[in-house]
């Protein structure tokens, strides 16, 4: 049974009014954006059409593709998501590691191995089948490309499905946010719908956690009737005004959390978070605006033009393939266009046709105009940047490094922003969830004593492309050095490179796991053993000469 009826306190009423008033103000600040997002959706993301305003409701399965003629933008959107995923969060590799903020600790093998173990645990729970990260992350990248904004909700997994993390890529129409004085997103209001049955399930789940979800009285009737009518709920998260880190209750956590039911006009749950549970990101921001603008918004005129040109192209193509026929006013009356038809009298005695098609335009010109708009759209969605390797498959390794470096330079200002605004908060929240579930290993004593924090080191193809200049320069220097030594035989030129510094950093750039790398102690032991072996070998090789010398000296001494 659902929890018993309750009377909302005066404090709860104030909380409800505060959340509802904040939500109303945030709606007003988003109206112009919502209008443009809807324009974009009609052209490249029809399923999201009419979902950006509070109160919008679309019946499942409703047709929304009436205004979409060309699919170039939609295809570019999917490719953009694939590009971002392959550059930033590829599933086939560990796209980030962790390390201490203290450079001294990073030289300690125990500390490095601890961070490597934490990274492995994090990736294990992140890509658990029940986490939903892969699919939801793709939704974020698509939203980023289409509308310039994306929001991931990171929370603990429902215990029914196991222990871990659950991800939810929120539709843009559900998320309303604002910034603090430093331009960081610190307040989120999520508008979402649930049926009475879903709300009851949520109340049962949260009751087990000791933080009850008060089932709204207004939903009891629909619950008993098993109605599938959705009801409006708001989830409000913002910094606490009464935050006190010394306290052990909710006031000791920096983020306030409030759920309200709109139809029931009641607060259904209050709580707190140690970390902001949303990882919200933007593609590009215009001064004075909180929300971002994406590639599709930047080339919205091109998308509209291409859609209109495609409609014209289809008309011209149709008329050329099935033309309007012109005849003399006293000419043929029953002209047949069927294959193999014979039309007597269609030519005069000189063989000149008495019937001819009406010229309706130049199909090639229309096609060239469309190609120009498609190129602009593909450029905005970064598609054209990734045609280099396929167009030049015979490039040498050095040329590939150079091209990769060029891509890193071009992509760093745009895609690189996602590392700081999206992936950084995402990882921070994930670690907090795992720590709260006691899923992380015990921290080494040296780290506890030092009191240092952690930082994220990105090892994705994007991060490596940005570092490719360093690795490429090192490789070219080694190549030049080798050629010089081969010509002159002068080994002293190699003294200019500190290999003890360069090789470990090169291994990190190329993503070599820590456990595959020898420790400093092991390297010293190998060098000592090698030196001892070399000394023995030299002694063995020098023994005959030494014995001969000693015999000669003895003979000379005897003669004397």
């Amino acid at each position: 049974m659902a929890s018993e009826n309750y009377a909302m306190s005066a404090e709860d009423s104030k909380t409800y009014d505060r959340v509802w008033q904040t939500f109303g103000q945030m709606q007003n600040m988003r109206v112009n954006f919502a209008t443009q997002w809807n324009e974009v959706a009609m052209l490249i993301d029809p399923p999201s059409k009419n979902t950006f305003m509070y109160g919008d409701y679309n019946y499942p399965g409703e047709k929304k593709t009436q205004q979409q003629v060309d699919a170039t933008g939609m295809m570019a959107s999917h490719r953009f998501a694939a590009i971002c995923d392959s550059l930033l969060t590829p599933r086939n590799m560990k796209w980030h590691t962790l390390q201490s903020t203290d450079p001294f600790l990073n030289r300690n093998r125990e500390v490095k191995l601890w961070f490597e173990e934490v990274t492995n645990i994090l990736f294990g729970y992140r890509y658990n089948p029940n986490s939903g990260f892969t699919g939801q992350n793709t939704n974020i990248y698509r939203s980023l490309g289409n509308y310039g904004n994306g929001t991931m909700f990171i929370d603990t997994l429902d215990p029914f499905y196991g222990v871990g993390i659950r991800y939810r890529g929120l539709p843009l129409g559900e998320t309303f946010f604002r910034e603090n004085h430093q331009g960081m997103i610190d307040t989120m209001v999520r508008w979402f719908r649930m049926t009475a049955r879903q709300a009851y399930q949520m109340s049962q789940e949260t009751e087990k956690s000791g933080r009850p979800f008060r089932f709204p009285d207004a939903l009891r009737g629909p619950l008993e009737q098993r109605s599938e009518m959705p009801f409006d709920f708001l989830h409000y998260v913002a910094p606490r005004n009464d935050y006190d880190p010394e306290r052990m209750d909710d006031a000791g956590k920096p983020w306030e959390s409030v759920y309200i039911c709109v139809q029931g006009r009641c607060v259904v749950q209050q709580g707190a978070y140690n970390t902001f549970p949303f990882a919200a990101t933007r593609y590009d921001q215009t001064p004075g605006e909180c929300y971002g603008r994406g590639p599709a918004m930047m080339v919205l005129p091109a998308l509209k033009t291409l859609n209109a040109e495609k409609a014209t192209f289809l008309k011209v193509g149709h008329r050329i393939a099935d033309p309007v026929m012109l005849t003399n006013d006293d000419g043929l009356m029953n002209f047949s266009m069927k294959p193999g038809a014979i039309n007597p009298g269609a030519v005069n005695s000189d063989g000149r046709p008495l019937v001819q098609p009406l010229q309706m335009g130049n199909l090639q010109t229309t096609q060239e105009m469309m190609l120009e708009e498609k190129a602009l759209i593909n450029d905005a969605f970064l598609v054209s940047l990734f045609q280099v390797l396929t167009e030049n498959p015979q490039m040498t390794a050095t040329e590939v490094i150079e091209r990769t470096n060029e891509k890193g330079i071009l992509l760093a200002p745009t895609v690189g922003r996602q590392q700081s605004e999206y992936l950084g908060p995402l990882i921070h929240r994930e670690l907090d969830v795992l720590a709260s579930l006691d899923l992380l290993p015990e921290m080494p004593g040296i780290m506890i004593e030092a009191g240092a924090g952690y930082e994220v080191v990105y090892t994705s193809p994007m991060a490596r492309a940005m570092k490719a200049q360093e690795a490429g320069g090192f490789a070219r220097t080694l190549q030049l050095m080798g050629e010089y030594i081969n010509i002159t035989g002068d080994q002293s030129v190699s003294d200019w490179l500190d290999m003890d510094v360069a090789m470990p950093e090169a291994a990190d750039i190329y993503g070599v796991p820590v456990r595959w790398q020898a420790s400093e102690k092991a390297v010293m032991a190998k060098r000592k053993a090698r030196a001892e072996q070399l000394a023995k070998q030299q002694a063995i090789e020098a023994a005959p000469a030494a014995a001969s010398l000693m015999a000669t000296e003895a003979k000379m001494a005897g003669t004397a």
Side-chain angles (χ1 to χ4, degrees), residues 325-327 331-338 341-347 354-356:
M325 304 305 295
L326 304 178
T327 65
L332 299 175
M333 299 299 294
N334 297 312
F335 187 80
S336 175
M337 296 285 289
K338 293 181 180 179
I342 297 176
N343 292 283
V347 294
L354 299 179
V355 178
Q356 58 182 341

Side-chain angles (χ1 to χ4, degrees), residues 346-512:
V347 294
N348 61 13
S349 58
D350 298 329
R352 184 175 64 84
L354 299 179
V355 178
Q356 58 182 341
L358 175 64
Q359 299 299 320
M360 295 299 297
N362 191 324
L363 192 65
Q364 184 176 354
T365 301
T366 309
Q367 193 170 19
E368 291 173 354
M369 293 169 61
M370 291 172 57
L371 289 175
E372 183 176 347
E373 302 302 330
K374 288 183 178 183
L376 291 173
I377 294 168
N378 285 328
D379 280 347
F381 281 96
L382 309 180
V383 175
S384 56
L385 272 176
F386 289 80
Q387 296 173 346
V388 178
L389 294 178
T390 56
E391 292 173 355
N392 301 278
Q394 305 301 322
M395 287 191 298
T396 64
T398 303
E399 289 174 331
V400 170
I401 291 175
E402 292 294 340
R403 291 300 179 93
T404 302
N405 182 39
E406 291 173 5
K407 284 184 181 181
I409 293 172
L410 292 171
L411 293 171
T414 51
V415 180
R417 175 176 179 163
Q418 308 315 313
Q419 292 180 342
S420 61
E421 194 167 71
Y422 174 49
L423 299 180
L426 175 81
I427 295 168
H428 185 57
R429 172 61 180 164
E430 291 170 326
L431 291 172
D432 178 60
V433 172
L434 292 178
S436 68
L437 297 173
D438 198 24
L439 296 174
L440 298 180
E442 185 177 354
M443 188 178 295
I446 188 174
M447 291 181 61
I448 299 175
E449 292 176 8
Y454 75 90
E455 61 185 4
V456 180
V457 179
Y458 295 102
T459 57
S460 63
M462 176 65 198
R464 291 181 186 175
M466 294 169 68
K467 295 180 180 179
Q469 188 170 5
E470 297 177 13
F474 180 65
R476 288 191 297 273
T477 302
L478 284 178
Q479 183 179 3
L480 177 63
M481 187 180 294
E483 293 175 356
Y484 178 82
I485 293 173
N486 288 335
I487 295 173
T488 66
D490 182 8
Q491 297 282 344
S492 63
V493 70
S494 62
D495 297 338
W496 287 99
L497 289 181
D498 190 341
M499 303 302 291
D500 286 343
V501 174
M503 293 309 296
E505 292 188 9
D508 290 338
I509 290 175
Y510 290 119
V512 179

Side-chain angles (χ1 to χ4, degrees), residues 16 134 201 224 453:
Y16 179 92
T134 301
Q201 289 174 333
E224 294 173 357

Side-chain angles (χ1 to χ4, degrees), residues 528-542:
K528 181 180 179 181
R530 192 182 303 115
E532 291 175 351
Q533 183 65 28
L534 180 61
K536 290 180 181 179
Q537 185 66 29
Q538 289 174 344
I540 292 172
E541 292 175 354

Side-chain angles (χ1 to χ4, degrees), residues 57-100:
Y57 182 74
N58 298 276
Y59 286 95
E62 183 178 336
K63 184 179 179 181
K64 297 185 177 183
T65 56
Q66 298 92 327
Q67 292 177 269
Q68 186 185 34
V69 180
D70 184 83
T72 300
M74 178 177 285
M75 294 300 298
S77 169
H78 283 275
R79 289 171 180 168
F80 176 84
I83 289 169
C84 288
D85 188 50
S86 64
L87 284 177
L88 295 168
T89 54
R91 187 172 183 177
N92 62 342
M93 66 177 293
K94 285 187 171 60
W95 41 268
H96 75 83
T97 59
L98 301 171
Q99 69 177 22
S100 173

